[in-house]
Amino acid sequence: MKLIQKNLEQLRHLERRKYHPLQHKLHKKHNITRKTLFYIKEYGFHSNVIKVIVQESLGILLISGLLNALGGLAVESVKTTLISVLPLLIMLPALNAMLGASAAIVSSRYSTLLHEGRIHGHPFLNRELSNLFSQTLIISLIMVFITSLISVAVSHDHTFLIAYKILAIGVIDVLIMMIVIFIFTLSAGLYYFRKKEDPNNFLIPITTSIADFGNVVILSVLVVLFF
Amino acid sequence: MGFIDKNFKEIFSSQLISVIGGIIAGSLLALYTNKLELLPGMLIILPGLLDLRGDIGGSFVSRITSGLFLGVIKPGQLNTKIIRGNIAASIILTLFLSFFLGVLATLFTYILFHVWYVSLMMLALVAGLVANVLEIPITLFTTYFLFKRGNDPNNIMGPLVTAVGDIVSIIGLAIALTFI
């Protein structure tokens, strides 16, 4: 135990950007995952924590910000309807959060399955993935029902027609977005994995941004169609 | 393996937390419809601001949790290089990206409505900063608390960060609207 601690301390003192044989030695000898060793070296004594985090996150966050601003443009275009039909405004952040969470769940589960070598043949035909798809879809539809119900109740906009339209918009939005999220995640994940890169690092930020952007755009189109 | 298995239950509870947070955020937003109606470009900022909190907060919690499991971060310790660095990086990213969102919203508003509404930049910046100041202590202490209790913060904090992020973003926006 003392030897491992001593070796890990040595690792923390290494230059961040240089690969050191100690990493390989520790991985083989003590069966410590490469990711753990990477973390210890990444935030070791020679690294500037702020610089590392800002540098590695900024690019993807800027793309995400741009996508969201474009999505915001779609929301702004239906502002009058959103403000006059309050359940829509109440439902918007809930749908965004739910679809974002779905994208994150699907991405992380798929990355794990790829790493574990449990995807044989085409991912669209995999039993575990189709089970995950049905589970997330059913849960999302239940959540849409709960969200619509609460949104209508909270806003005191109790007419049957409004409630029906809100539910229909939510269901159509979720159905389209879940299919988009799955197709995109499965294709992009496989692409990164075949390039010998960790899909974890790319899939979650990209899929959540696409889920957020797609949700507000589809929601805006549906609002125009229904109201 | 049945359809309603452990995975189903876990996904269901995490989605429920996200949806509740979203509904609270949406209801708070509904209180400010008069301001939304008056200010052009406000809704351009909104999706970005909500997403920003989840993105920055989510990565923040994930890094802290990894550090806790690896023993690089001790639960309860605040004044360490990694914690200070993480908090500072999260504030820098928030300031930069909120300002970026504000600039985009100002440009889009000008292109669409021919209104040069520069206050949108200030609004996004203040809202992002207030949301960050509220979110960091909540997420940090909850992560420490869960870890000390023997829970894996990775399983609980993801949806919680999204939910808390949505609520604090709207509170931040409301505070910014009051002062600007």
PDB file of all heavy atoms in Angstrom, chain A residues 36 39 43-45 47 53 61 64 68 76 79 97-98 101-102 109 135 147 212, chain B residues 1 3 5 7 15 19 36 39 41 43 48 51 55 63 67 70 81 86 97 166:
ATOM      1  N   THR A  36      -7.696   6.853 -13.969  1.00  0.00           N
ATOM      2  CA  THR A  36      -7.338   7.293 -12.623  1.00  0.00           C
ATOM      3  C   THR A  36      -5.950   7.923 -12.642  1.00  0.00           C
ATOM      4  O   THR A  36      -5.743   9.013 -12.094  1.00  0.00           O
ATOM      5  CB  THR A  36      -7.336   6.077 -11.657  1.00  0.00           C
ATOM      6  OG1 THR A  36      -8.586   5.453 -11.751  1.00  0.00           O
ATOM      7  CG2 THR A  36      -7.052   6.496 -10.243  1.00  0.00           C
ATOM      8  N   TYR A  39      -6.011  11.306 -14.255  1.00  0.00           N
ATOM      9  CA  TYR A  39      -6.554  12.364 -13.387  1.00  0.00           C
ATOM     10  C   TYR A  39      -5.487  12.858 -12.414  1.00  0.00           C
ATOM     11  O   TYR A  39      -5.303  14.053 -12.218  1.00  0.00           O
ATOM     12  CB  TYR A  39      -7.750  11.820 -12.599  1.00  0.00           C
ATOM     13  CG  TYR A  39      -8.479  12.876 -11.781  1.00  0.00           C
ATOM     14  CD1 TYR A  39      -9.617  13.480 -12.266  1.00  0.00           C
ATOM     15  CD2 TYR A  39      -8.015  13.261 -10.516  1.00  0.00           C
ATOM     16  CE1 TYR A  39     -10.289  14.441 -11.531  1.00  0.00           C
ATOM     17  CE2 TYR A  39      -8.685  14.223  -9.773  1.00  0.00           C
ATOM     18  CZ  TYR A  39      -9.818  14.802 -10.280  1.00  0.00           C
ATOM     19  OH  TYR A  39     -10.472  15.752  -9.542  1.00  0.00           O
ATOM     20  N   TYR A  43      -4.072  16.857 -12.726  1.00  0.00           N
ATOM     21  CA  TYR A  43      -4.203  17.903 -11.712  1.00  0.00           C
ATOM     22  C   TYR A  43      -3.090  17.806 -10.666  1.00  0.00           C
ATOM     23  O   TYR A  43      -3.300  18.050  -9.490  1.00  0.00           O
ATOM     24  CB  TYR A  43      -5.588  17.838 -11.055  1.00  0.00           C
ATOM     25  CG  TYR A  43      -6.690  17.997 -12.075  1.00  0.00           C
ATOM     26  CD1 TYR A  43      -7.529  16.941 -12.403  1.00  0.00           C
ATOM     27  CD2 TYR A  43      -6.860  19.202 -12.743  1.00  0.00           C
ATOM     28  CE1 TYR A  43      -8.522  17.087 -13.359  1.00  0.00           C
ATOM     29  CE2 TYR A  43      -7.852  19.353 -13.700  1.00  0.00           C
ATOM     30  CZ  TYR A  43      -8.669  18.286 -13.998  1.00  0.00           C
ATOM     31  OH  TYR A  43      -9.652  18.437 -14.954  1.00  0.00           O
ATOM     32  N   GLY A  44      -1.910  17.432 -11.103  1.00  0.00           N
ATOM     33  CA  GLY A  44      -0.766  17.297 -10.196  1.00  0.00           C
ATOM     34  C   GLY A  44      -0.136  18.644  -9.865  1.00  0.00           C
ATOM     35  O   GLY A  44      -0.690  19.697 -10.184  1.00  0.00           O
ATOM     36  N   PHE A  45       1.056  18.582  -9.258  1.00  0.00           N
ATOM     37  CA  PHE A  45       1.698  19.818  -8.774  1.00  0.00           C
ATOM     38  C   PHE A  45       2.125  20.754  -9.897  1.00  0.00           C
ATOM     39  O   PHE A  45       2.207  21.948  -9.719  1.00  0.00           O
ATOM     40  CB  PHE A  45       2.903  19.464  -7.902  1.00  0.00           C
ATOM     41  CG  PHE A  45       2.496  18.778  -6.634  1.00  0.00           C
ATOM     42  CD1 PHE A  45       2.861  17.459  -6.386  1.00  0.00           C
ATOM     43  CD2 PHE A  45       1.716  19.440  -5.686  1.00  0.00           C
ATOM     44  CE1 PHE A  45       2.464  16.817  -5.216  1.00  0.00           C
ATOM     45  CE2 PHE A  45       1.318  18.802  -4.522  1.00  0.00           C
ATOM     46  CZ  PHE A  45       1.697  17.488  -4.294  1.00  0.00           C
ATOM     47  N   SER A  47       0.602  21.247 -12.765  1.00  0.00           N
ATOM     48  CA  SER A  47      -0.450  21.723 -13.667  1.00  0.00           C
ATOM     49  C   SER A  47      -1.156  22.941 -13.084  1.00  0.00           C
ATOM     50  O   SER A  47      -1.288  23.085 -11.881  1.00  0.00           O
ATOM     51  CB  SER A  47      -1.456  20.609 -13.916  1.00  0.00           C
ATOM     52  OG  SER A  47      -2.235  20.412 -12.780  1.00  0.00           O
ATOM     53  N   ILE A  53      -8.704  23.319 -17.063  1.00  0.00           N
ATOM     54  CA  ILE A  53     -10.170  23.202 -17.175  1.00  0.00           C
ATOM     55  C   ILE A  53     -10.712  24.163 -18.232  1.00  0.00           C
ATOM     56  O   ILE A  53     -11.494  23.778 -19.098  1.00  0.00           O
ATOM     57  CB  ILE A  53     -10.853  23.449 -15.798  1.00  0.00           C
ATOM     58  CG1 ILE A  53     -10.434  22.372 -14.802  1.00  0.00           C
ATOM     59  CG2 ILE A  53     -12.369  23.469 -15.946  1.00  0.00           C
ATOM     60  CD1 ILE A  53     -10.843  22.651 -13.368  1.00  0.00           C
ATOM     61  N   LEU A  61     -17.989  24.442 -25.066  1.00  0.00           N
ATOM     62  CA  LEU A  61     -19.002  25.316 -24.460  1.00  0.00           C
ATOM     63  C   LEU A  61     -19.379  26.467 -25.396  1.00  0.00           C
ATOM     64  O   LEU A  61     -20.533  26.902 -25.413  1.00  0.00           O
ATOM     65  CB  LEU A  61     -18.501  25.863 -23.119  1.00  0.00           C
ATOM     66  CG  LEU A  61     -18.499  24.857 -21.963  1.00  0.00           C
ATOM     67  CD1 LEU A  61     -17.845  25.457 -20.723  1.00  0.00           C
ATOM     68  CD2 LEU A  61     -19.901  24.408 -21.619  1.00  0.00           C
ATOM     69  N   SER A  64     -21.687  24.998 -27.914  1.00  0.00           N
ATOM     70  CA  SER A  64     -22.964  24.774 -27.246  1.00  0.00           C
ATOM     71  C   SER A  64     -23.718  26.102 -27.072  1.00  0.00           C
ATOM     72  O   SER A  64     -24.934  26.169 -27.300  1.00  0.00           O
ATOM     73  CB  SER A  64     -22.684  24.115 -25.892  1.00  0.00           C
ATOM     74  OG  SER A  64     -23.798  24.105 -25.104  1.00  0.00           O
ATOM     75  N   ASN A  68     -27.318  27.076 -28.665  1.00  0.00           N
ATOM     76  CA  ASN A  68     -28.417  27.476 -27.794  1.00  0.00           C
ATOM     77  C   ASN A  68     -28.963  28.849 -28.151  1.00  0.00           C
ATOM     78  O   ASN A  68     -30.162  29.093 -28.038  1.00  0.00           O
ATOM     79  CB  ASN A  68     -27.972  27.460 -26.331  1.00  0.00           C
ATOM     80  CG  ASN A  68     -28.012  26.065 -25.763  1.00  0.00           C
ATOM     81  OD1 ASN A  68     -29.026  25.393 -25.870  1.00  0.00           O
ATOM     82  ND2 ASN A  68     -26.911  25.608 -25.205  1.00  0.00           N
ATOM     83  N   GLU A  76     -37.697  32.990 -29.400  1.00  0.00           N
ATOM     84  CA  GLU A  76     -38.038  34.420 -29.465  1.00  0.00           C
ATOM     85  C   GLU A  76     -39.100  34.673 -30.545  1.00  0.00           C
ATOM     86  O   GLU A  76     -39.979  35.521 -30.384  1.00  0.00           O
ATOM     87  CB  GLU A  76     -36.757  35.232 -29.746  1.00  0.00           C
ATOM     88  CG  GLU A  76     -36.925  36.734 -29.757  1.00  0.00           C
ATOM     89  CD  GLU A  76     -37.092  37.382 -28.390  1.00  0.00           C
ATOM     90  OE1 GLU A  76     -36.584  36.832 -27.401  1.00  0.00           O
ATOM     91  OE2 GLU A  76     -37.749  38.447 -28.320  1.00  0.00           O
ATOM     92  N   LYS A  79     -42.517  34.149 -29.184  1.00  0.00           N
ATOM     93  CA  LYS A  79     -42.627  34.736 -27.833  1.00  0.00           C
ATOM     94  C   LYS A  79     -44.063  35.109 -27.463  1.00  0.00           C
ATOM     95  O   LYS A  79     -44.519  34.789 -26.354  1.00  0.00           O
ATOM     96  CB  LYS A  79     -41.729  35.977 -27.766  1.00  0.00           C
ATOM     97  CG  LYS A  79     -41.680  36.638 -26.407  1.00  0.00           C
ATOM     98  CD  LYS A  79     -40.487  37.524 -26.308  1.00  0.00           C
ATOM     99  CE  LYS A  79     -40.838  38.977 -26.354  1.00  0.00           C
ATOM    100  NZ  LYS A  79     -39.683  39.839 -26.125  1.00  0.00           N
ATOM    101  N   ALA A  97     -34.732  20.111 -19.827  1.00  0.00           N
ATOM    102  CA  ALA A  97     -33.980  19.352 -18.810  1.00  0.00           C
ATOM    103  C   ALA A  97     -34.142  17.857 -19.045  1.00  0.00           C
ATOM    104  O   ALA A  97     -33.169  17.096 -18.978  1.00  0.00           O
ATOM    105  CB  ALA A  97     -34.476  19.730 -17.422  1.00  0.00           C
ATOM    106  N   MET A  98     -35.366  17.433 -19.348  1.00  0.00           N
ATOM    107  CA  MET A  98     -35.638  16.004 -19.514  1.00  0.00           C
ATOM    108  C   MET A  98     -34.912  15.425 -20.733  1.00  0.00           C
ATOM    109  O   MET A  98     -34.282  14.366 -20.650  1.00  0.00           O
ATOM    110  CB  MET A  98     -37.140  15.799 -19.677  1.00  0.00           C
ATOM    111  CG  MET A  98     -37.552  14.367 -19.685  1.00  0.00           C
ATOM    112  SD  MET A  98     -39.274  14.235 -20.075  1.00  0.00           S
ATOM    113  CE  MET A  98     -39.256  14.584 -21.810  1.00  0.00           C
ATOM    114  N   ALA A 101     -31.185  15.306 -20.102  1.00  0.00           N
ATOM    115  CA  ALA A 101     -30.841  14.177 -19.224  1.00  0.00           C
ATOM    116  C   ALA A 101     -30.910  12.854 -19.997  1.00  0.00           C
ATOM    117  O   ALA A 101     -30.053  11.978 -19.828  1.00  0.00           O
ATOM    118  CB  ALA A 101     -31.790  14.146 -18.028  1.00  0.00           C
ATOM    119  N   SER A 102     -31.916  12.716 -20.869  1.00  0.00           N
ATOM    120  CA  SER A 102     -32.031  11.490 -21.681  1.00  0.00           C
ATOM    121  C   SER A 102     -30.798  11.323 -22.561  1.00  0.00           C
ATOM    122  O   SER A 102     -30.250  10.212 -22.672  1.00  0.00           O
ATOM    123  CB  SER A 102     -33.258  11.541 -22.595  1.00  0.00           C
ATOM    124  OG  SER A 102     -34.411  11.569 -21.850  1.00  0.00           O
ATOM    125  N   ARG A 109     -24.356   5.368 -21.235  1.00  0.00           N
ATOM    126  CA  ARG A 109     -24.591   3.912 -21.267  1.00  0.00           C
ATOM    127  C   ARG A 109     -23.979   3.295 -22.535  1.00  0.00           C
ATOM    128  O   ARG A 109     -23.375   2.231 -22.494  1.00  0.00           O
ATOM    129  CB  ARG A 109     -26.098   3.613 -21.260  1.00  0.00           C
ATOM    130  CG  ARG A 109     -26.771   3.942 -19.962  1.00  0.00           C
ATOM    131  CD  ARG A 109     -26.839   2.714 -19.046  1.00  0.00           C
ATOM    132  NE  ARG A 109     -27.095   3.136 -17.678  1.00  0.00           N
ATOM    133  CZ  ARG A 109     -28.286   3.102 -17.104  1.00  0.00           C
ATOM    134  NH1 ARG A 109     -29.301   2.635 -17.769  1.00  0.00           N
ATOM    135  NH2 ARG A 109     -28.445   3.505 -15.870  1.00  0.00           N
ATOM    136  N   GLN A 135     -37.058   1.883 -22.835  1.00  0.00           N
ATOM    137  CA  GLN A 135     -37.188   2.360 -21.453  1.00  0.00           C
ATOM    138  C   GLN A 135     -37.176   3.896 -21.398  1.00  0.00           C
ATOM    139  O   GLN A 135     -38.054   4.509 -20.795  1.00  0.00           O
ATOM    140  CB  GLN A 135     -36.049   1.810 -20.601  1.00  0.00           C
ATOM    141  CG  GLN A 135     -36.251   0.358 -20.222  1.00  0.00           C
ATOM    142  CD  GLN A 135     -35.142  -0.166 -19.333  1.00  0.00           C
ATOM    143  OE1 GLN A 135     -34.000   0.265 -19.425  1.00  0.00           O
ATOM    144  NE2 GLN A 135     -35.473  -1.111 -18.478  1.00  0.00           N
ATOM    145  N   THR A 147     -45.576  16.576 -16.795  1.00  0.00           N
ATOM    146  CA  THR A 147     -45.234  17.987 -17.030  1.00  0.00           C
ATOM    147  C   THR A 147     -46.435  18.770 -17.571  1.00  0.00           C
ATOM    148  O   THR A 147     -46.734  19.867 -17.096  1.00  0.00           O
ATOM    149  CB  THR A 147     -44.056  18.092 -18.036  1.00  0.00           C
ATOM    150  OG1 THR A 147     -43.020  17.234 -17.613  1.00  0.00           O
ATOM    151  CG2 THR A 147     -43.538  19.491 -18.148  1.00  0.00           C
ATOM    152  N   ASP A 212     -30.933  20.040 -26.630  1.00  0.00           N
ATOM    153  CA  ASP A 212     -31.455  21.353 -26.250  1.00  0.00           C
ATOM    154  C   ASP A 212     -31.869  22.164 -27.474  1.00  0.00           C
ATOM    155  O   ASP A 212     -32.951  22.747 -27.523  1.00  0.00           O
ATOM    156  CB  ASP A 212     -30.393  22.141 -25.457  1.00  0.00           C
ATOM    157  CG  ASP A 212     -30.188  21.551 -24.076  1.00  0.00           C
ATOM    158  OD1 ASP A 212     -31.075  20.811 -23.619  1.00  0.00           O
ATOM    159  OD2 ASP A 212     -29.141  21.817 -23.465  1.00  0.00           O
TER     160      ASP A 212
ATOM    161  N   MET B   1     -34.562 -10.607 -17.586  1.00  0.00           N
ATOM    162  CA  MET B   1     -34.537  -9.189 -17.183  1.00  0.00           C
ATOM    163  C   MET B   1     -35.867  -8.537 -17.565  1.00  0.00           C
ATOM    164  O   MET B   1     -36.218  -8.509 -18.750  1.00  0.00           O
ATOM    165  CB  MET B   1     -33.365  -8.488 -17.873  1.00  0.00           C
ATOM    166  CG  MET B   1     -33.157  -7.090 -17.365  1.00  0.00           C
ATOM    167  SD  MET B   1     -31.636  -6.354 -18.007  1.00  0.00           S
ATOM    168  CE  MET B   1     -31.982  -6.226 -19.740  1.00  0.00           C
ATOM    169  N   PHE B   3     -38.869  -5.529 -17.952  1.00  0.00           N
ATOM    170  CA  PHE B   3     -38.817  -4.180 -18.526  1.00  0.00           C
ATOM    171  C   PHE B   3     -38.601  -3.133 -17.426  1.00  0.00           C
ATOM    172  O   PHE B   3     -37.810  -2.213 -17.577  1.00  0.00           O
ATOM    173  CB  PHE B   3     -40.119  -3.907 -19.295  1.00  0.00           C
ATOM    174  CG  PHE B   3     -40.087  -2.634 -20.074  1.00  0.00           C
ATOM    175  CD1 PHE B   3     -39.354  -2.544 -21.250  1.00  0.00           C
ATOM    176  CD2 PHE B   3     -40.769  -1.516 -19.629  1.00  0.00           C
ATOM    177  CE1 PHE B   3     -39.311  -1.358 -21.978  1.00  0.00           C
ATOM    178  CE2 PHE B   3     -40.735  -0.330 -20.350  1.00  0.00           C
ATOM    179  CZ  PHE B   3     -40.005  -0.255 -21.530  1.00  0.00           C
ATOM    180  N   ASP B   5     -36.823  -2.748 -14.645  1.00  0.00           N
ATOM    181  CA  ASP B   5     -35.706  -3.257 -13.850  1.00  0.00           C
ATOM    182  C   ASP B   5     -35.031  -2.103 -13.090  1.00  0.00           C
ATOM    183  O   ASP B   5     -35.575  -1.002 -13.000  1.00  0.00           O
ATOM    184  CB  ASP B   5     -34.702  -3.995 -14.754  1.00  0.00           C
ATOM    185  CG  ASP B   5     -34.222  -3.129 -15.908  1.00  0.00           C
ATOM    186  OD1 ASP B   5     -34.606  -1.944 -15.955  1.00  0.00           O
ATOM    187  OD2 ASP B   5     -33.461  -3.621 -16.750  1.00  0.00           O
ATOM    188  N   ASN B   7     -32.398  -0.352 -13.907  1.00  0.00           N
ATOM    189  CA  ASN B   7     -32.117   0.762 -14.821  1.00  0.00           C
ATOM    190  C   ASN B   7     -33.336   1.659 -15.001  1.00  0.00           C
ATOM    191  O   ASN B   7     -33.230   2.881 -14.973  1.00  0.00           O
ATOM    192  CB  ASN B   7     -31.716   0.238 -16.217  1.00  0.00           C
ATOM    193  CG  ASN B   7     -30.286  -0.208 -16.238  1.00  0.00           C
ATOM    194  OD1 ASN B   7     -29.497   0.180 -15.387  1.00  0.00           O
ATOM    195  ND2 ASN B   7     -29.952  -1.050 -17.199  1.00  0.00           N
ATOM    196  N   GLN B  15     -34.984  11.364 -14.062  1.00  0.00           N
ATOM    197  CA  GLN B  15     -35.801  12.208 -14.947  1.00  0.00           C
ATOM    198  C   GLN B  15     -36.823  13.008 -14.144  1.00  0.00           C
ATOM    199  O   GLN B  15     -37.099  14.162 -14.467  1.00  0.00           O
ATOM    200  CB  GLN B  15     -36.549  11.335 -15.974  1.00  0.00           C
ATOM    201  CG  GLN B  15     -35.671  10.702 -17.000  1.00  0.00           C
ATOM    202  CD  GLN B  15     -35.244  11.677 -18.088  1.00  0.00           C
ATOM    203  OE1 GLN B  15     -34.947  12.827 -17.808  1.00  0.00           O
ATOM    204  NE2 GLN B  15     -35.181  11.241 -19.309  1.00  0.00           N
ATOM    205  N   VAL B  19     -37.306  16.998 -14.226  1.00  0.00           N
ATOM    206  CA  VAL B  19     -38.584  17.582 -14.624  1.00  0.00           C
ATOM    207  C   VAL B  19     -39.131  18.508 -13.529  1.00  0.00           C
ATOM    208  O   VAL B  19     -39.618  19.606 -13.828  1.00  0.00           O
ATOM    209  CB  VAL B  19     -39.589  16.447 -14.975  1.00  0.00           C
ATOM    210  CG1 VAL B  19     -41.006  16.954 -14.985  1.00  0.00           C
ATOM    211  CG2 VAL B  19     -39.242  15.873 -16.339  1.00  0.00           C
ATOM    212  N   LEU B  36     -40.600  39.833 -19.855  1.00  0.00           N
ATOM    213  CA  LEU B  36     -40.248  39.099 -21.080  1.00  0.00           C
ATOM    214  C   LEU B  36     -40.894  39.752 -22.298  1.00  0.00           C
ATOM    215  O   LEU B  36     -40.313  39.807 -23.371  1.00  0.00           O
ATOM    216  CB  LEU B  36     -40.741  37.649 -20.996  1.00  0.00           C
ATOM    217  CG  LEU B  36     -40.042  36.691 -20.053  1.00  0.00           C
ATOM    218  CD1 LEU B  36     -40.738  35.347 -20.056  1.00  0.00           C
ATOM    219  CD2 LEU B  36     -38.596  36.502 -20.466  1.00  0.00           C
ATOM    220  N   LEU B  39     -38.960  43.260 -22.999  1.00  0.00           N
ATOM    221  CA  LEU B  39     -37.559  43.270 -23.430  1.00  0.00           C
ATOM    222  C   LEU B  39     -37.321  42.360 -24.633  1.00  0.00           C
ATOM    223  O   LEU B  39     -37.480  41.149 -24.530  1.00  0.00           O
ATOM    224  CB  LEU B  39     -36.640  42.841 -22.279  1.00  0.00           C
ATOM    225  CG  LEU B  39     -36.747  43.639 -20.989  1.00  0.00           C
ATOM    226  CD1 LEU B  39     -35.876  43.026 -19.912  1.00  0.00           C
ATOM    227  CD2 LEU B  39     -36.330  45.084 -21.217  1.00  0.00           C
ATOM    228  N   GLY B  41     -35.308  40.035 -27.139  1.00  0.00           N
ATOM    229  CA  GLY B  41     -34.073  39.242 -27.064  1.00  0.00           C
ATOM    230  C   GLY B  41     -33.881  38.453 -25.788  1.00  0.00           C
ATOM    231  O   GLY B  41     -32.941  37.650 -25.683  1.00  0.00           O
ATOM    232  N   LEU B  43     -35.579  35.965 -24.595  1.00  0.00           N
ATOM    233  CA  LEU B  43     -35.720  34.510 -24.774  1.00  0.00           C
ATOM    234  C   LEU B  43     -34.591  33.908 -25.611  1.00  0.00           C
ATOM    235  O   LEU B  43     -34.455  32.690 -25.675  1.00  0.00           O
ATOM    236  CB  LEU B  43     -37.088  34.176 -25.385  1.00  0.00           C
ATOM    237  CG  LEU B  43     -38.273  34.367 -24.435  1.00  0.00           C
ATOM    238  CD1 LEU B  43     -39.591  34.112 -25.143  1.00  0.00           C
ATOM    239  CD2 LEU B  43     -38.171  33.461 -23.214  1.00  0.00           C
ATOM    240  N   GLY B  48     -29.635  29.121 -23.595  1.00  0.00           N
ATOM    241  CA  GLY B  48     -28.185  29.083 -23.368  1.00  0.00           C
ATOM    242  C   GLY B  48     -27.844  29.168 -21.893  1.00  0.00           C
ATOM    243  O   GLY B  48     -26.981  28.436 -21.387  1.00  0.00           O
ATOM    244  N   ASP B  51     -28.719  25.899 -20.177  1.00  0.00           N
ATOM    245  CA  ASP B  51     -27.800  24.827 -20.554  1.00  0.00           C
ATOM    246  C   ASP B  51     -26.410  25.028 -19.945  1.00  0.00           C
ATOM    247  O   ASP B  51     -25.763  24.073 -19.524  1.00  0.00           O
ATOM    248  CB  ASP B  51     -27.708  24.784 -22.084  1.00  0.00           C
ATOM    249  CG  ASP B  51     -26.979  23.538 -22.564  1.00  0.00           C
ATOM    250  OD1 ASP B  51     -27.279  22.457 -22.041  1.00  0.00           O
ATOM    251  OD2 ASP B  51     -26.110  23.653 -23.446  1.00  0.00           O
ATOM    252  N   ASP B  55     -24.031  22.395 -17.978  1.00  0.00           N
ATOM    253  CA  ASP B  55     -22.729  22.010 -18.556  1.00  0.00           C
ATOM    254  C   ASP B  55     -21.587  22.274 -17.585  1.00  0.00           C
ATOM    255  O   ASP B  55     -20.778  21.387 -17.295  1.00  0.00           O
ATOM    256  CB  ASP B  55     -22.467  22.809 -19.852  1.00  0.00           C
ATOM    257  CG  ASP B  55     -23.288  22.286 -21.008  1.00  0.00           C
ATOM    258  OD1 ASP B  55     -23.873  21.199 -20.854  1.00  0.00           O
ATOM    259  OD2 ASP B  55     -23.366  22.965 -22.050  1.00  0.00           O
ATOM    260  N   ARG B  63     -15.736  16.292 -11.784  1.00  0.00           N
ATOM    261  CA  ARG B  63     -14.308  16.367 -11.440  1.00  0.00           C
ATOM    262  C   ARG B  63     -14.098  16.204  -9.937  1.00  0.00           C
ATOM    263  O   ARG B  63     -13.193  15.500  -9.488  1.00  0.00           O
ATOM    264  CB  ARG B  63     -13.716  17.705 -11.914  1.00  0.00           C
ATOM    265  CG  ARG B  63     -13.421  17.769 -13.396  1.00  0.00           C
ATOM    266  CD  ARG B  63     -12.620  19.019 -13.718  1.00  0.00           C
ATOM    267  NE  ARG B  63     -13.340  20.240 -13.398  1.00  0.00           N
ATOM    268  CZ  ARG B  63     -14.094  20.909 -14.265  1.00  0.00           C
ATOM    269  NH1 ARG B  63     -14.213  20.494 -15.494  1.00  0.00           N
ATOM    270  NH2 ARG B  63     -14.720  22.014 -13.895  1.00  0.00           N
ATOM    271  N   GLY B  67     -12.122  13.170  -7.985  1.00  0.00           N
ATOM    272  CA  GLY B  67     -11.066  13.498  -7.021  1.00  0.00           C
ATOM    273  C   GLY B  67     -11.318  12.877  -5.656  1.00  0.00           C
ATOM    274  O   GLY B  67     -10.397  12.381  -5.000  1.00  0.00           O
ATOM    275  N   LEU B  70     -10.686   9.153  -5.790  1.00  0.00           N
ATOM    276  CA  LEU B  70      -9.265   8.837  -5.940  1.00  0.00           C
ATOM    277  C   LEU B  70      -8.460   9.222  -4.709  1.00  0.00           C
ATOM    278  O   LEU B  70      -7.286   8.905  -4.610  1.00  0.00           O
ATOM    279  CB  LEU B  70      -8.700   9.583  -7.155  1.00  0.00           C
ATOM    280  CG  LEU B  70      -9.292   9.208  -8.511  1.00  0.00           C
ATOM    281  CD1 LEU B  70      -8.785  10.131  -9.584  1.00  0.00           C
ATOM    282  CD2 LEU B  70      -8.941   7.771  -8.851  1.00  0.00           C
ATOM    283  N   LYS B  81      -5.678  23.238  -3.693  1.00  0.00           N
ATOM    284  CA  LYS B  81      -5.382  23.736  -5.040  1.00  0.00           C
ATOM    285  C   LYS B  81      -6.479  23.314  -6.037  1.00  0.00           C
ATOM    286  O   LYS B  81      -6.951  24.124  -6.843  1.00  0.00           O
ATOM    287  CB  LYS B  81      -4.020  23.185  -5.474  1.00  0.00           C
ATOM    288  CG  LYS B  81      -3.534  23.724  -6.796  1.00  0.00           C
ATOM    289  CD  LYS B  81      -2.269  22.987  -7.214  1.00  0.00           C
ATOM    290  CE  LYS B  81      -1.980  23.228  -8.678  1.00  0.00           C
ATOM    291  NZ  LYS B  81      -0.939  22.375  -9.192  1.00  0.00           N
ATOM    292  N   ASN B  86     -10.937  24.628  -9.406  1.00  0.00           N
ATOM    293  CA  ASN B  86     -12.230  24.281  -9.991  1.00  0.00           C
ATOM    294  C   ASN B  86     -13.238  25.415  -9.852  1.00  0.00           C
ATOM    295  O   ASN B  86     -13.967  25.723 -10.794  1.00  0.00           O
ATOM    296  CB  ASN B  86     -12.795  23.027  -9.309  1.00  0.00           C
ATOM    297  CG  ASN B  86     -12.412  21.761 -10.054  1.00  0.00           C
ATOM    298  OD1 ASN B  86     -13.002  21.437 -11.068  1.00  0.00           O
ATOM    299  ND2 ASN B  86     -11.377  21.096  -9.583  1.00  0.00           N
ATOM    300  N   LEU B  97     -18.727  32.851 -20.961  1.00  0.00           N
ATOM    301  CA  LEU B  97     -19.817  32.330 -21.795  1.00  0.00           C
ATOM    302  C   LEU B  97     -21.114  33.113 -21.641  1.00  0.00           C
ATOM    303  O   LEU B  97     -21.868  33.234 -22.607  1.00  0.00           O
ATOM    304  CB  LEU B  97     -20.028  30.851 -21.507  1.00  0.00           C
ATOM    305  CG  LEU B  97     -18.893  30.033 -22.134  1.00  0.00           C
ATOM    306  CD1 LEU B  97     -18.595  28.796 -21.347  1.00  0.00           C
ATOM    307  CD2 LEU B  97     -19.190  29.710 -23.577  1.00  0.00           C
ATOM    308  N   ASP B 166     -31.317  24.935 -13.389  1.00  0.00           N
ATOM    309  CA  ASP B 166     -32.477  25.594 -14.007  1.00  0.00           C
ATOM    310  C   ASP B 166     -33.079  26.627 -13.061  1.00  0.00           C
ATOM    311  O   ASP B 166     -33.384  27.752 -13.467  1.00  0.00           O
ATOM    312  CB  ASP B 166     -33.555  24.547 -14.359  1.00  0.00           C
ATOM    313  CG  ASP B 166     -33.178  23.754 -15.597  1.00  0.00           C
ATOM    314  OD1 ASP B 166     -32.183  24.118 -16.248  1.00  0.00           O
ATOM    315  OD2 ASP B 166     -33.879  22.778 -15.912  1.00  0.00           O
TER     316      ASP B 166
END
